[in-house]
PDB file of all heavy atoms in Angstrom:
ATOM      1  N   GLY A 237     179.777-244.696   5.619  1.00 82.00           N
ATOM      2  CA  GLY A 237     181.198-244.886   5.852  1.00 82.00           C
ATOM      3  C   GLY A 237     181.492-245.228   7.307  1.00 82.00           C
ATOM      4  O   GLY A 237     180.612-245.218   8.157  1.00 82.00           O
ATOM      5  N   ASP A 238     182.734-245.508   7.568  1.00 86.00           N
ATOM      6  CA  ASP A 238     183.202-245.858   8.900  1.00 86.00           C
ATOM      7  C   ASP A 238     183.453-244.563   9.681  1.00 86.00           C
ATOM      8  O   ASP A 238     184.552-244.015   9.659  1.00 86.00           O
ATOM      9  CB  ASP A 238     184.474-246.705   8.788  1.00 86.00           C
ATOM     10  CG  ASP A 238     185.001-247.180  10.125  1.00 86.00           C
ATOM     11  OD1 ASP A 238     184.483-246.744  11.179  1.00 86.00           O
ATOM     12  OD2 ASP A 238     185.942-247.990  10.115  1.00 86.00           O
ATOM     13  N   GLN A 239     182.410-244.081  10.367  1.00 88.00           N
ATOM     14  CA  GLN A 239     182.513-242.821  11.096  1.00 88.00           C
ATOM     15  C   GLN A 239     183.569-242.886  12.188  1.00 88.00           C
ATOM     16  O   GLN A 239     184.266-241.903  12.440  1.00 88.00           O
ATOM     17  CB  GLN A 239     181.153-242.428  11.692  1.00 88.00           C
ATOM     18  CG  GLN A 239     181.137-241.047  12.296  1.00 88.00           C
ATOM     19  CD  GLN A 239     181.398-239.953  11.273  1.00 88.00           C
ATOM     20  OE1 GLN A 239     180.829-239.963  10.196  1.00 88.00           O
ATOM     21  NE2 GLN A 239     182.262-239.013  11.609  1.00 88.00           N
ATOM     22  N   ALA A 240     183.727-244.026  12.827  1.00 92.00           N
ATOM     23  CA  ALA A 240     184.729-244.157  13.893  1.00 92.00           C
ATOM     24  C   ALA A 240     186.133-243.938  13.331  1.00 92.00           C
ATOM     25  O   ALA A 240     186.980-243.336  13.996  1.00 92.00           O
ATOM     26  CB  ALA A 240     184.618-245.529  14.552  1.00 92.00           C
ATOM     27  N   LYS A 241     186.381-244.408  12.117  1.00 93.00           N
ATOM     28  CA  LYS A 241     187.690-244.202  11.484  1.00 93.00           C
ATOM     29  C   LYS A 241     187.948-242.714  11.274  1.00 93.00           C
ATOM     30  O   LYS A 241     189.015-242.203  11.628  1.00 93.00           O
ATOM     31  CB  LYS A 241     187.749-244.946  10.144  1.00 93.00           C
ATOM     32  CG  LYS A 241     189.016-244.707   9.366  1.00 93.00           C
ATOM     33  CD  LYS A 241     188.974-245.391   8.011  1.00 93.00           C
ATOM     34  CE  LYS A 241     190.178-244.992   7.178  1.00 93.00           C
ATOM     35  NZ  LYS A 241     190.109-245.526   5.823  1.00 93.00           N
ATOM     36  N   LEU A 242     186.961-242.013  10.692  1.00 93.00           N
ATOM     37  CA  LEU A 242     187.126-240.570  10.483  1.00 93.00           C
ATOM     38  C   LEU A 242     187.275-239.831  11.804  1.00 93.00           C
ATOM     39  O   LEU A 242     188.110-238.931  11.932  1.00 93.00           O
ATOM     40  CB  LEU A 242     185.943-239.999   9.707  1.00 93.00           C
ATOM     41  CG  LEU A 242     185.923-240.223   8.210  1.00 93.00           C
ATOM     42  CD1 LEU A 242     184.684-239.569   7.590  1.00 93.00           C
ATOM     43  CD2 LEU A 242     187.171-239.720   7.535  1.00 93.00           C
ATOM     44  N   ASP A 243     186.480-240.199  12.803  1.00 94.00           N
ATOM     45  CA  ASP A 243     186.580-239.555  14.115  1.00 94.00           C
ATOM     46  C   ASP A 243     187.972-239.723  14.709  1.00 94.00           C
ATOM     47  O   ASP A 243     188.516-238.791  15.308  1.00 94.00           O
ATOM     48  CB  ASP A 243     185.532-240.125  15.082  1.00 94.00           C
ATOM     49  CG  ASP A 243     184.124-239.681  14.748  1.00 94.00           C
ATOM     50  OD1 ASP A 243     183.946-238.725  13.959  1.00 94.00           O
ATOM     51  OD2 ASP A 243     183.175-240.306  15.280  1.00 94.00           O
ATOM     52  N   GLY A 244     188.567-240.899  14.542  1.00 96.00           N
ATOM     53  CA  GLY A 244     189.914-241.144  15.054  1.00 96.00           C
ATOM     54  C   GLY A 244     190.950-240.265  14.377  1.00 96.00           C
ATOM     55  O   GLY A 244     191.842-239.711  15.037  1.00 96.00           O
ATOM     56  N   ILE A 245     190.844-240.126  13.063  1.00 96.00           N
ATOM     57  CA  ILE A 245     191.779-239.272  12.322  1.00 96.00           C
ATOM     58  C   ILE A 245     191.598-237.821  12.761  1.00 96.00           C
ATOM     59  O   ILE A 245     192.575-237.101  13.001  1.00 96.00           O
ATOM     60  CB  ILE A 245     191.574-239.422  10.804  1.00 96.00           C
ATOM     61  CG1 ILE A 245     191.877-240.854  10.356  1.00 96.00           C
ATOM     62  CG2 ILE A 245     192.461-238.434  10.041  1.00 96.00           C
ATOM     63  CD1 ILE A 245     191.426-241.163   8.932  1.00 96.00           C
ATOM     64  N   ILE A 246     190.346-237.383  12.881  1.00 96.00           N
ATOM     65  CA  ILE A 246     190.063-236.003  13.287  1.00 96.00           C
ATOM     66  C   ILE A 246     190.558-235.739  14.703  1.00 96.00           C
ATOM     67  O   ILE A 246     191.150-234.686  14.973  1.00 96.00           O
ATOM     68  CB  ILE A 246     188.562-235.696  13.142  1.00 96.00           C
ATOM     69  CG1 ILE A 246     188.173-235.676  11.660  1.00 96.00           C
ATOM     70  CG2 ILE A 246     188.189-234.379  13.824  1.00 96.00           C
ATOM     71  CD1 ILE A 246     186.677-235.688  11.396  1.00 96.00           C
ATOM     72  N   ASP A 247     190.364-236.671  15.614  1.00 97.00           N
ATOM     73  CA  ASP A 247     190.864-236.505  16.991  1.00 97.00           C
ATOM     74  C   ASP A 247     192.377-236.318  16.992  1.00 97.00           C
ATOM     75  O   ASP A 247     192.901-235.459  17.705  1.00 97.00           O
ATOM     76  CB  ASP A 247     190.487-237.706  17.860  1.00 97.00           C
ATOM     77  CG  ASP A 247     189.014-237.749  18.221  1.00 97.00           C
ATOM     78  OD1 ASP A 247     188.322-236.712  18.073  1.00 97.00           O
ATOM     79  OD2 ASP A 247     188.545-238.829  18.650  1.00 97.00           O
ATOM     80  N   GLN A 248     193.082-237.125  16.201  1.00 97.00           N
ATOM     81  CA  GLN A 248     194.543-237.007  16.120  1.00 97.00           C
ATOM     82  C   GLN A 248     194.930-235.647  15.542  1.00 97.00           C
ATOM     83  O   GLN A 248     195.841-234.991  16.046  1.00 97.00           O
ATOM     84  CB  GLN A 248     195.140-238.138  15.274  1.00 97.00           C
ATOM     85  CG  GLN A 248     196.657-238.067  15.150  1.00 97.00           C
ATOM     86  CD  GLN A 248     197.379-238.172  16.471  1.00 97.00           C
ATOM     87  OE1 GLN A 248     196.996-238.955  17.330  1.00 97.00           O
ATOM     88  NE2 GLN A 248     198.430-237.394  16.640  1.00 97.00           N
ATOM     89  N   LEU A 249     194.247-235.224  14.488  1.00 97.00           N
ATOM     90  CA  LEU A 249     194.529-233.915  13.896  1.00 97.00           C
ATOM     91  C   LEU A 249     194.308-232.794  14.911  1.00 97.00           C
ATOM     92  O   LEU A 249     195.100-231.847  14.983  1.00 97.00           O
ATOM     93  CB  LEU A 249     193.648-233.679  12.669  1.00 97.00           C
ATOM     94  CG  LEU A 249     194.069-234.366  11.376  1.00 97.00           C
ATOM     95  CD1 LEU A 249     192.942-234.305  10.351  1.00 97.00           C
ATOM     96  CD2 LEU A 249     195.341-233.756  10.833  1.00 97.00           C
ATOM     97  N   GLN A 250     193.245-232.890  15.699  1.00 97.00           N
ATOM     98  CA  GLN A 250     192.975-231.856  16.708  1.00 97.00           C
ATOM     99  C   GLN A 250     194.076-231.811  17.765  1.00 97.00           C
ATOM    100  O   GLN A 250     194.470-230.726  18.203  1.00 97.00           O
ATOM    101  CB  GLN A 250     191.605-232.084  17.344  1.00 97.00           C
ATOM    102  CG  GLN A 250     190.478-231.754  16.392  1.00 97.00           C
ATOM    103  CD  GLN A 250     189.105-232.067  16.958  1.00 97.00           C
ATOM    104  OE1 GLN A 250     188.925-233.005  17.728  1.00 97.00           O
ATOM    105  NE2 GLN A 250     188.122-231.278  16.550  1.00 97.00           N
ATOM    106  N   ARG A 251     194.584-232.973  18.172  1.00 97.00           N
ATOM    107  CA  ARG A 251     195.698-232.993  19.152  1.00 97.00           C
ATOM    108  C   ARG A 251     196.957-232.378  18.531  1.00 97.00           C
ATOM    109  O   ARG A 251     197.658-231.595  19.188  1.00 97.00           O
ATOM    110  CB  ARG A 251     195.964-234.420  19.623  1.00 97.00           C
ATOM    111  CG  ARG A 251     194.906-234.952  20.589  1.00 97.00           C
ATOM    112  CD  ARG A 251     195.310-236.259  21.257  1.00 97.00           C
ATOM    113  NE  ARG A 251     195.495-237.360  20.324  1.00 97.00           N
ATOM    114  CZ  ARG A 251     194.524-238.147  19.861  1.00 97.00           C
ATOM    115  NH1 ARG A 251     193.286-237.938  20.242  1.00 97.00           N
ATOM    116  NH2 ARG A 251     194.800-239.122  19.031  1.00 97.00           N
ATOM    117  N   GLN A 252     197.242-232.734  17.282  1.00 98.00           N
ATOM    118  CA  GLN A 252     198.408-232.176  16.610  1.00 98.00           C
ATOM    119  C   GLN A 252     198.269-230.660  16.469  1.00 98.00           C
ATOM    120  O   GLN A 252     199.243-229.920  16.661  1.00 98.00           O
ATOM    121  CB  GLN A 252     198.570-232.819  15.220  1.00 98.00           C
ATOM    122  CG  GLN A 252     199.010-234.271  15.252  1.00 98.00           C
ATOM    123  CD  GLN A 252     198.907-234.905  13.879  1.00 98.00           C
ATOM    124  OE1 GLN A 252     197.807-235.185  13.409  1.00 98.00           O
ATOM    125  NE2 GLN A 252     200.048-235.116  13.250  1.00 98.00           N
ATOM    126  N   TRP A 253     197.074-230.197  16.125  1.00 97.00           N
ATOM    127  CA  TRP A 253     196.807-228.766  15.967  1.00 97.00           C
ATOM    128  C   TRP A 253     197.073-228.034  17.272  1.00 97.00           C
ATOM    129  O   TRP A 253     197.747-227.004  17.289  1.00 97.00           O
ATOM    130  CB  TRP A 253     195.356-228.580  15.526  1.00 97.00           C
ATOM    131  CG  TRP A 253     194.984-227.179  15.182  1.00 97.00           C
ATOM    132  CD1 TRP A 253     194.621-226.193  16.046  1.00 97.00           C
ATOM    133  CD2 TRP A 253     194.959-226.610  13.878  1.00 97.00           C
ATOM    134  NE1 TRP A 253     194.342-225.040  15.363  1.00 97.00           N
ATOM    135  CE2 TRP A 253     194.545-225.276  14.022  1.00 97.00           C
ATOM    136  CE3 TRP A 253     195.221-227.097  12.607  1.00 97.00           C
ATOM    137  CZ2 TRP A 253     194.399-224.422  12.938  1.00 97.00           C
ATOM    138  CZ3 TRP A 253     195.069-226.246  11.529  1.00 97.00           C
ATOM    139  CH2 TRP A 253     194.674-224.927  11.689  1.00 97.00           C
ATOM    140  N   LYS A 254     196.540-228.568  18.362  1.00 97.00           N
ATOM    141  CA  LYS A 254     196.698-227.946  19.679  1.00 97.00           C
ATOM    142  C   LYS A 254     198.177-227.850  20.053  1.00 97.00           C
ATOM    143  O   LYS A 254     198.635-226.829  20.575  1.00 97.00           O
ATOM    144  CB  LYS A 254     195.919-228.766  20.727  1.00 97.00           C
ATOM    145  CG  LYS A 254     196.026-228.255  22.134  1.00 97.00           C
ATOM    146  CD  LYS A 254     195.072-227.130  22.376  1.00 97.00           C
ATOM    147  CE  LYS A 254     195.015-226.818  23.853  1.00 97.00           C
ATOM    148  NZ  LYS A 254     194.139-225.732  24.159  1.00 97.00           N
ATOM    149  N   THR A 255     198.927-228.910  19.769  1.00 97.00           N
ATOM    150  CA  THR A 255     200.360-228.917  20.077  1.00 97.00           C
ATOM    151  C   THR A 255     201.116-227.895  19.234  1.00 97.00           C
ATOM    152  O   THR A 255     201.928-227.130  19.746  1.00 97.00           O
ATOM    153  CB  THR A 255     200.949-230.327  19.850  1.00 97.00           C
ATOM    154  OG1 THR A 255     200.279-231.238  20.723  1.00 97.00           O
ATOM    155  CG2 THR A 255     202.440-230.361  20.110  1.00 97.00           C
ATOM    156  N   LYS A 256     200.852-227.870  17.939  1.00 97.00           N
ATOM    157  CA  LYS A 256     201.593-226.990  17.028  1.00 97.00           C
ATOM    158  C   LYS A 256     201.218-225.517  17.175  1.00 97.00           C
ATOM    159  O   LYS A 256     202.077-224.649  17.178  1.00 97.00           O
ATOM    160  CB  LYS A 256     201.405-227.429  15.581  1.00 97.00           C
ATOM    161  CG  LYS A 256     202.205-226.582  14.598  1.00 97.00           C
ATOM    162  CD  LYS A 256     202.310-227.229  13.251  1.00 97.00           C
ATOM    163  CE  LYS A 256     203.129-226.405  12.290  1.00 97.00           C
ATOM    164  NZ  LYS A 256     204.523-226.727  12.278  1.00 97.00           N
ATOM    165  N   TYR A 257     199.909-225.232  17.278  1.00 96.00           N
ATOM    166  CA  TYR A 257     199.456-223.843  17.266  1.00 96.00           C
ATOM    167  C   TYR A 257     199.005-223.326  18.630  1.00 96.00           C
ATOM    168  O   TYR A 257     198.573-222.176  18.749  1.00 96.00           O
ATOM    169  CB  TYR A 257     198.335-223.670  16.232  1.00 96.00           C
ATOM    170  CG  TYR A 257     198.792-224.035  14.834  1.00 96.00           C
ATOM    171  CD1 TYR A 257     198.289-225.168  14.205  1.00 96.00           C
ATOM    172  CD2 TYR A 257     199.757-223.288  14.170  1.00 96.00           C
ATOM    173  CE1 TYR A 257     198.709-225.526  12.933  1.00 96.00           C
ATOM    174  CE2 TYR A 257     200.194-223.631  12.908  1.00 96.00           C
ATOM    175  CZ  TYR A 257     199.671-224.758  12.295  1.00 96.00           C
ATOM    176  OH  TYR A 257     200.098-225.107  11.052  1.00 96.00           O
ATOM    177  N   ASN A 258     199.088-224.172  19.654  1.00 96.00           N
ATOM    178  CA  ASN A 258     198.747-223.792  21.021  1.00 96.00           C
ATOM    179  C   ASN A 258     197.326-223.228  21.139  1.00 96.00           C
ATOM    180  O   ASN A 258     197.077-222.285  21.888  1.00 96.00           O
ATOM    181  CB  ASN A 258     199.772-222.791  21.572  1.00 96.00           C
ATOM    182  CG  ASN A 258     199.757-222.759  23.082  1.00 96.00           C
ATOM    183  OD1 ASN A 258     199.444-223.748  23.731  1.00 96.00           O
ATOM    184  ND2 ASN A 258     200.080-221.605  23.646  1.00 96.00           N
ATOM    185  N   GLN A 259     196.416-223.804  20.351  1.00 94.00           N
ATOM    186  CA  GLN A 259     195.004-223.432  20.432  1.00 94.00           C
ATOM    187  C   GLN A 259     194.173-224.542  19.799  1.00 94.00           C
ATOM    188  O   GLN A 259     194.679-225.344  19.026  1.00 94.00           O
ATOM    189  CB  GLN A 259     194.731-222.106  19.724  1.00 94.00           C
ATOM    190  CG  GLN A 259     195.055-222.103  18.240  1.00 94.00           C
ATOM    191  CD  GLN A 259     194.794-220.747  17.611  1.00 94.00           C
ATOM    192  OE1 GLN A 259     193.702-220.523  17.097  1.00 94.00           O
ATOM    193  NE2 GLN A 259     195.777-219.865  17.654  1.00 94.00           N
ATOM    194  N   ASP A 260     192.895-224.565  20.176  1.00 94.00           N
ATOM    195  CA  ASP A 260     191.987-225.531  19.584  1.00 94.00           C
ATOM    196  C   ASP A 260     191.689-225.141  18.142  1.00 94.00           C
ATOM    197  O   ASP A 260     191.718-223.959  17.791  1.00 94.00           O
ATOM    198  CB  ASP A 260     190.663-225.589  20.362  1.00 94.00           C
ATOM    199  CG  ASP A 260     190.834-226.185  21.747  1.00 94.00           C
ATOM    200  OD1 ASP A 260     191.717-227.048  21.923  1.00 94.00           O
ATOM    201  OD2 ASP A 260     190.083-225.777  22.654  1.00 94.00           O
ATOM    202  N   PHE A 261     191.377-226.144  17.326  1.00 93.00           N
ATOM    203  CA  PHE A 261     190.934-225.892  15.960  1.00 93.00           C
ATOM    204  C   PHE A 261     189.510-225.379  16.035  1.00 93.00           C
ATOM    205  O   PHE A 261     188.601-226.084  16.444  1.00 93.00           O
ATOM    206  CB  PHE A 261     190.988-227.181  15.128  1.00 93.00           C
ATOM    207  CG  PHE A 261     190.592-226.971  13.695  1.00 93.00           C
ATOM    208  CD1 PHE A 261     191.557-226.688  12.743  1.00 93.00           C
ATOM    209  CD2 PHE A 261     189.274-227.052  13.298  1.00 93.00           C
ATOM    210  CE1 PHE A 261     191.207-226.486  11.414  1.00 93.00           C
ATOM    211  CE2 PHE A 261     188.906-226.849  11.975  1.00 93.00           C
ATOM    212  CZ  PHE A 261     189.868-226.569  11.029  1.00 93.00           C
TER     213      PHE A 261
END
């Protein structure tokens, strides 16, 4: 699969997580 695509989605999710929950996933 396109690992770069998944990595991009995961990076965005991690930023959203940090913003919402004030901690790293």
